[in-house]
Structures are given as structure tokens and as C-alpha cells.
């Protein structure tokens, strides 16, 4: 598979995809026709226009899958697919409803370049169980695309020692997940991403990632760290610690 999984599409103080533009344009085929999946936000036209403005100056033709009466046909005519960020539950529900969930999954497994950001990166994992999002709609299942066999937590936030907030930190929430499921979780901080290609996986970007596994202390993974071993994960969901 050929995957580029971004933690975020917008970095503070920079334009849409600007922080990763060189990586994105190198990842996409030259003069690519890109199928953009805008379902994570409510205004599909405005979202597609934003992506188009960011990528078309680099010679990439952007087509929103919603702009075709048959989104599956639009995907079939494309050289790559990009699933954008927003609400992961709304996005997955739309993927089921349009029939794109199975079609995107199969196309990516067969080599179609797949790029995700935020919610689109969540889709590459087996389930939505490590999403940060509120379930504003109820999809038929939490089962996502399963392009990688481990979980990802985009926008991973470190605890703020100066904060007076008493709710769970992100680390505590992921620890709770691991109490009920035996599946590694890769926390991608803003500005970082995961590259999967030719059977290998590498952490990339401006900031380290953080890896959570059951029964072990979290690991810091600097850019360039090979995490190909995670591709051999055999996830065990609903497997509480005994």
C-alpha cells in the first residue's frame, strides 16, 4: 500500500496543507487527478474549494467525489484519493452510506495512493475507538478502513503541567483504551505524519510521535523512526486486561 497519513491539515500560522506541501506533492503522482472526500464537514463545496486552492497550483486536479452523481465512479477515474479532516463519525457514516468505504479500502489495498488528514487518518485504522471526536451521528459500525492494523490518534496532545483542567489527559484516555483492547496506538502530534510504502512504515514530520502499547511505557519516536513492525500487528479488540 501507498499511504500518507497526516495528523493535521492546517498548522498554526500557515495555510491549508502548507506545512506538508512538499511531502504531499511528492507523494501524489505528477499531474494527478485527485479524488477528494469532503464528508467530514457539512459544506462539501467549500471544503473541496479549499483543497483545490491549496493543490491545483502544484498541477494537481482536485475533484470532490460529491461532484459526481456516483462517487464510486469518480474514485475509479482518479489517480489518488484524499480524505480530509473534520468529524470522524460523520465521515465514516457517509462512507458507509455512499458505498465508498469498501471501494476506497479495496482500491488502497490494490495500490491507489491514499492520503488522509486528521479524520481521514482515523479512517486508515481498524476502528474509530481512538478518535478525539464527538459522535454527532451514529455510523452503522465503528469499523473503518483497516489499511493499517493498529490505531492512530491524530492531534495527540501532551499533558500541560500548568493546566488546572481536571479531565483526563489524552495519555490517560489512550491508557483506558488499552485496558480494554490490546492494539498499539500511534499518537501523531501536530506537524507529524506516518508514511507507509512498500511494506514499510516511517514516522515523519516536524515533531516526534508517541507510541502506546499495553503493558509498556509510551515511547517517543523521532522523525525517521522505522515502525514497520507495527504492520505485523494482530489487533485484539474487546480484550480486557485480566
Amino acid at each position: 500500500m501507498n499511504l500518507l497519513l497526516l495528523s493535521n491539515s492546517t498548522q498554526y500560522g500557515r495555510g491549508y496543507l502548507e506545512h506538508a506541501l512538499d511531502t504531499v506533492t511528492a507523494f501524489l503522482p505528477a499531474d494527478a487527478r485527485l479524488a477528494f472526500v469532503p464528508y467530514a464537514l457539512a459544506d462539501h463545496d467549500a471544503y473541496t474549494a479549499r483543497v483545490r486552492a491549496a493543490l491545483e497550483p502544484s498541477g494537481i486536479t482536485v475533484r470532490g467525489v460529491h461532484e459526481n452523481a456516483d462517487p464510486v465512479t469518480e474514485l475509479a477515474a482518479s489517480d489518488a484519493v484524499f480524505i480530509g479532516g473534520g468529524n470522524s463519525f460523520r465521515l465514516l457514516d457517509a462512507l458507509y452510506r455512499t458505498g465508498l468505504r469498501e471501494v476506497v479500502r479495496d482500491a488502497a489495498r490494490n495500490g491507489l495512493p491514499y492520503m488522509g488528514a486528521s479524520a481521514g487518518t482515523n479512517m486508515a485504522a481498524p476502528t474509530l475507538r481512538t478518535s478525539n471526536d464527538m459522535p454527532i451521528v451514529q455510523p452503522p459500525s465503528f469499523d473503518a478502513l483497516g489499511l493499517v492494523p493498529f490505531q492512530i490518534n491524530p492531534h495527540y496532545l501532551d499533558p500541560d503541567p500548568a493546566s488546572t483542567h481536571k479531565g483526563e489527559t489524552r495519555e490517560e484516555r489512550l491508557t483506558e483504551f488499552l485496558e480494554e483492547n490490546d492494539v498499539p496506538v500511534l499518537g501523531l502530534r501536530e506537524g507529524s505524519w506516518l508514511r507507509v510504502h512498500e511494506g514499510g512504515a516511517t514516522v515523519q514530520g516536524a515533531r516526534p510521535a508517541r507510541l502506546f502499547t499495553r503493558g509498556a511505557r509510551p515511547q517517543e519516536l523521532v522523525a525517521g523512526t522505522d515502525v514497520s513492525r507495527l504492520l505485523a500487528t494482530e489487533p485484539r479488540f474487546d480484550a480486557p486486561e485480566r
Side-chain angles (χ1 to χ4, degrees):
M1 283 184 291
N2 190 10
L3 315 176
L4 177 60
L5 305 177
L6 305 165
S7 176
N8 52 303
S9 53
T10 305
Q11 192 86 344
Y12 178 75
R14 308 191 73 177
Y16 187 80
L17 288 176
E18 185 181 356
H19 70 291
L21 189 59
D22 289 345
T23 297
V24 169
T25 54
F27 168 75
L28 295 173
D31 302 318
R33 176 175 173 139
L34 178 66
F36 176 60
V37 180
Y39 298 138
L41 296 184
D43 192 334
H44 302 159
D45 289 338
Y47 199 2
T48 301
R50 190 179 190 190
V51 176
R52 190 171 280 140
L55 295 181
E56 289 204 338
S58 299
I60 298 161
T61 299
V62 177
R63 288 278 303 169
V65 294
H66 71 290
E67 296 174 324
N68 192 315
D70 181 2
V72 171
T73 299
E74 186 59 45
L75 183 75
S78 300
D79 303 306
V81 61
F82 174 32
I83 300 187
N87 186 277
S88 297
F89 294 89
R90 174 160 54 190
L91 170 57
L92 184 58
D93 184 60
L95 292 179
Y96 274 101
R97 181 164 25 86
T98 59
L100 279 173
R101 175 182 169 269
E102 294 81 4
V103 174
V104 171
R105 178 197 63 200
D106 293 347
R109 287 177 177 176
N110 287 321
L112 184 75
Y114 176 101
M115 184 169 78
S118 188
T121 290
N122 278 330
M123 293 304 106
T127 84
L128 291 192
R129 297 188 193 201
T130 54
S131 168
N132 306 317
D133 298 332
M134 181 179 291
I136 61 173
V137 299
Q138 181 170 309
S141 168
F142 282 178
D143 291 345
L145 302 180
L147 302 180
V148 296
F150 52 92
Q151 291 298 116
I152 302 176
N153 180 246
H155 305 285
Y156 176 76
L157 286 174
D158 295 291
D160 179 1
S163 175
T164 58
H165 175 67
K166 295 303 179 183
E168 291 98 331
T169 65
R170 189 70 55 78
E171 181 169 331
E172 287 170 336
R173 290 184 184 276
L174 295 179
T175 299
E176 290 171 350
F177 168 81
L178 290 170
E179 290 169 352
E180 301 292 337
N181 306 276
D182 188 4
V183 189
V185 184
L186 184 65
L188 291 177
R189 295 181 175 92
E190 303 244 320
S192 64
W193 53 83
L194 179 70
R195 184 74 171 89
V196 178
H197 186 51
E198 296 182 346
T202 309
V203 171
Q204 298 181 359
R207 301 182 67 195
R210 193 163 173 84
L211 180 64
F212 296 84
T213 53
R214 177 183 275 188
R217 295 180 62 83
Q219 294 178 265
E220 287 290 300
L221 306 176
V222 299
T225 300
D226 187 327
V227 290
S228 301
R229 68 188 186 279
L230 295 178
L231 299 176
T233 295
E234 295 183 7
R236 294 176 61 240
F237 293 100
D238 302 310
E241 290 183 307
R242 300 299 182 188

